[in-house]
Amino acid sequence: MFKNKGSGSVRPGYGDWVRDFEAAREERAAGGDPEWERGARLPAALVRSVQRFQVGEDGDGAELLAKAERAGDPEYTAAARLFVAEEQNHARLLAAVLTAAGANTLGAHWTDAAFVRLRRLLGLRLELLVLMVAEVVALRYYRALRDGSPDPLLAEVAGRILADEERHVPFHCRRLREGFARLPRPAKRAVTTAWRALLAGAAVVVAADHGGALRRCGVTRRAFVRDVVFSSVRMAAVIDGRGVTFAAPAEGTGQHGYPQVA
């Protein structure tokens, strides 16, 4: 996706991102769904936690796509549509694993409603910053489920979602870096500092709300918050342009590394 030709060098346009999302979609179609018929045995704390995350993944992305279209870049809009489709697939997978465990989905949850209201008040750049809070929290959450879930079906689903989220973060970082590129350096640093503070607050809320589920996966609340906050250092450096490169994906695999600080 990105060629490391030096600090901050990227290929112009989002056509490669479109192809990357499409390649990931083809891989999912070829691989098929998990074996839902084997069922899932989830502790009550994990059921409640997955229900809340399923609500957050479920949405049509209409506001984000409308703002992307107004930005006037058809390739970016096409890539954003494919991103939204992946998020909707995450909601489908989580709903299916809940069904396999004999549980229902929720109609709404206050944390998701708060994020949606905040994002709708903002333009594309600030909406993406708020969205990135959810994405970075999700990285640590799904890693906890993949590595520590007591149920193999949930672990498989979490692994699939995590693989997508690890591509989403560089995608959003790229757009945010471009969006804030014309700001003076102190202003960019102020933006990313505020973003990291918002992220830390969100990590605390999620750790408190999902602490029981995290413990069942071997992750303490403190460790969850620490890991989320620490991971944001590299992402903030990408967004505010402090001498960074992007980790390139393996050609044709749809897989990305995290943004890397040079």
Side-chain angles (χ1 to χ4, degrees):
M1 190 62 59
F2 298 106
K3 290 185 177 179
N4 299 328
K5 295 182 178 178
S7 179
S9 175
V10 299
R11 291 180 62 177
Y14 284 85
D16 282 350
W17 278 106
V18 172
R19 288 186 287 276
D20 187 54
F21 277 114
E22 289 174 340
R25 182 180 62 192
E26 291 171 6
E27 286 185 10
R28 287 193 299 271
D33 269 2
E35 297 176 0
W36 304 120
E37 62 274 10
R38 61 180 156 159
R41 295 176 62 86
L42 303 182
L46 272 171
V47 169
R48 290 191 296 269
S49 179
V50 172
Q51 286 173 327
R52 294 166 192 172
F53 263 79
Q54 194 276 336
V55 172
E57 299 279 10
D58 194 19
D60 60 10
E63 288 287 330
L64 173 63
L65 294 177
K67 291 169 185 175
E69 288 180 352
R70 288 197 292 272
D73 183 340
E75 285 187 339
Y76 174 71
T77 301
R81 290 187 186 281
L82 291 164
F83 156 73
V84 169
E86 285 193 352
E87 292 290 301
Q88 292 170 336
N89 186 56
H90 297 172
R92 182 187 68 85
L93 290 172
L94 293 175
V97 80
L98 286 169
T99 298
N104 297 320
T105 58
L106 300 178
H109 190 258
W110 72 268
T111 52
D112 177 62
F115 267 101
V116 169
R117 290 194 188 99
L118 179 58
R119 285 167 52 191
R120 287 179 176 174
L121 294 173
L122 307 172
L124 178 61
R125 291 182 301 179
L126 296 183
E127 170 153 2
L128 287 177
L129 281 175
V130 176
L131 177 60
M132 273 283 287
V133 168
E135 295 282 275
V136 177
V137 167
L139 284 175
R140 186 63 185 95
Y141 176 79
Y142 289 120
R143 179 157 62 90
L145 265 58
R146 182 198 64 184
D147 296 343
S149 169
D151 181 80
L153 183 62
L154 178 59
E156 179 182 347
V157 167
R160 291 182 181 217
I161 295 174
L162 180 63
D164 289 341
E165 298 291 1
E166 287 176 341
R167 293 183 300 103
H168 294 174
V169 167
F171 172 61
H172 296 314
C173 283
R174 158 87 185 269
R175 185 67 186 189
L176 284 167
R177 193 181 73 164
E178 292 175 350
F180 291 113
R182 295 184 180 181
L183 290 181
R185 184 175 293 275
K188 288 189 285 189
R189 291 297 297 273
V191 168
T192 53
T193 298
W195 173 72
R196 292 192 67 208
L198 179 62
L199 175 62
V204 170
V205 170
V206 171
D209 203 26
H210 297 262
L214 292 171
R215 282 195 302 273
R216 293 304 298 259
C217 296
V219 179
T220 66
R221 288 184 172 95
R222 183 185 297 274
F224 180 85
V225 173
R226 180 197 64 219
D227 292 348
V228 169
V229 171
F230 180 75
S231 72
S232 70
V233 174
R234 292 180 295 171
M235 298 164 196
V238 172
I239 293 167
D240 67 25
R242 282 178 284 133
V244 299
T245 58
F246 289 84
E251 277 300 317
T253 66
Q255 298 299 312
H256 285 273
Y258 286 111
Q260 301 292 319
V261 177

